Amino acid sequence: MWSSAHRRLGFRATAPGHHSLTWVHHLPPGGPQLFPVSLWMPLEMSPFGCWGLPTALLVLFCCPGSGEGFEVHMYPEQLVVEPGGSKLINCSTSCAQPQTGGLETALTKTLLESGAQWKQYLISNISWDTVIHCYFTCFGNQKLKSLNISVFYPPKQVLLKLQPAWVAVGRSFIIECHVPAVKPLESLTLTLLHGQEALCNKTFARGDDSIRGATATHNSTAHRQDGRHNFSCHAHLDLRSLGGGIVHRASEPQMLKVYEPRPDNQMVVIISVVSVLLLLFVTSVVLCFVLGQHWRQRRMGAYGVQDA
């Protein structure tokens, strides 16, 4: 198959099996021929002398008659957007004179500006993950470039809970952080902090494309100094691998109320009862001793009267 450049120059072959090629250059009658009628014409008969054959080959292989070498570009190369958002998409090509070009997508698109080698679109109401395609046709050859669009849900709420909020020194308590709705889950990191000290970091495995909640918990033991600093939870959604940035959200700080443990009421009752019983026992022993002494003295007095 001969390219369009060959057709424009009037390039044709002889019968099969022959290698003789002729140039038929469409010029006005009587005009000078730029190239030899035959590539095998003696060099001295060519108007260009010894440059006839190289010039012909140069025109043959360098004439832009094929679109196989052109490229298609899209900017940005990756795109991440919140639900219902809009973004600008630029399509361009290295083809000097493309026949056709455009953007294929199921989303709402609006052509804003265009030039010979580029087009700018506004993509609106992006509500789901999708792939869009930019295409151009150059000399009958079509190429396209694809762009992945990811929809993310930022951590708009970060909820922190201390269970219990009042705790005795030496007793355990639970720190719980919860993000109701976030996507993509594998890009999320939850960090539990006590003042400026990180207690734990939790990441999440890749799941499906649904919007899910995320929870991080940490068990700790109460100390007297725990009541001097706030507890907080920080959520980081790292979208750099998808062409975005880092979304950060923090919870409201909470203070743990720590108190000294009090004696058990039951033990107090037992100690009180034992004390009372012990007191009664001692009192009874003393009374018995006193009464015994008094009774003995009375008997001794009675015996002294009888002897007299």
Side-chain angles (χ1 to χ4, degrees), residues 3-6 8-9 23 35 53-69 96 139:
S3 68
S4 59
H6 300 157
R8 288 197 303 271
L9 293 174
W23 289 89
F35 303 106
L53 180 59
T55 304
L57 294 176
L58 183 64
V59 173
L60 176 64
F61 292 107
C62 295
C63 183
S66 174
E68 296 179 358
F139 292 101

Side-chain angles (χ1 to χ4, degrees), residues 113-173:
E113 296 181 82
S114 64
Q117 296 176 277
W118 60 275
K119 295 178 183 292
Q120 185 182 66
Y121 292 89
L122 177 65
I123 306 299
S124 306
N125 195 24
I126 305 174
S127 302
W128 64 88
D129 294 348
T130 185
V131 180
I132 61 177
H133 308 280
C134 178
Y135 68 91
F136 282 96
T137 303
C138 186
F139 292 101
N141 185 26
Q142 186 178 84
K143 288 186 178 182
L144 60 86
K145 187 79 171 181
S146 300
L147 169 65
N148 292 320
I149 298 181
S150 302
V151 176
F152 76 97
Y153 287 78
K156 295 184 177 181
Q157 285 184 303
V158 181
L159 307 176
L160 180 66
K161 183 186 297 183
L162 301 178
Q163 298 178 336
W166 289 72
V167 62
V169 174
R171 298 294 180 88
S172 62
F173 66 99

Side-chain angles (χ1 to χ4, degrees), residues 218-273:
H218 179 70
N219 295 322
S220 185
T221 301
H223 302 86
R224 289 182 179 88
Q225 62 270 21
D226 287 344
R228 302 174 186 172
H229 301 284
N230 290 327
F231 289 87
S232 61
C233 179
H234 292 249
H236 295 84
L237 191 65
D238 191 348
L239 303 172
R240 289 177 293 182
S241 61
L242 301 174
I246 298 178
V247 181
H248 172 258
R249 213 56 104 237
S251 69
E252 291 291 334
Q254 293 193 21
M255 183 76 74
L256 182 69
K257 298 177 181 178
V258 183
Y259 61 89
E260 294 290 340
R262 297 176 181 177
D264 192 358
N265 292 334
Q266 185 177 0
M267 184 62 66
V268 172
V269 173
I270 294 174
I271 294 175
S272 300
V273 172

Side-chain angles (χ1 to χ4, degrees), residues 50-124:
C50 62
W51 296 101
L53 180 59
T55 304
L57 294 176
L58 183 64
V59 173
L60 176 64
F61 292 107
C62 295
C63 183
S66 174
E68 296 179 358
F70 77 101
E71 296 180 351
V72 175
H73 304 280
M74 295 187 74
Y75 182 82
E77 296 181 352
Q78 289 181 305
L79 188 59
V80 61
V81 62
E82 288 192 61
S86 302
K87 289 292 181 179
L88 292 175
I89 304 295
N90 289 309
C91 296
S92 62
T93 180
S94 60
C95 178
Q97 295 180 340
Q99 282 84 42
T100 58
L103 187 70
E104 288 293 337
T105 178
L107 301 171
T108 303
K109 65 178 180 180
T110 304
L111 179 62
L112 300 180
E113 296 181 82
S114 64
Q117 296 176 277
W118 60 275
K119 295 178 183 292
Q120 185 182 66
Y121 292 89
L122 177 65
I123 306 299
S124 306

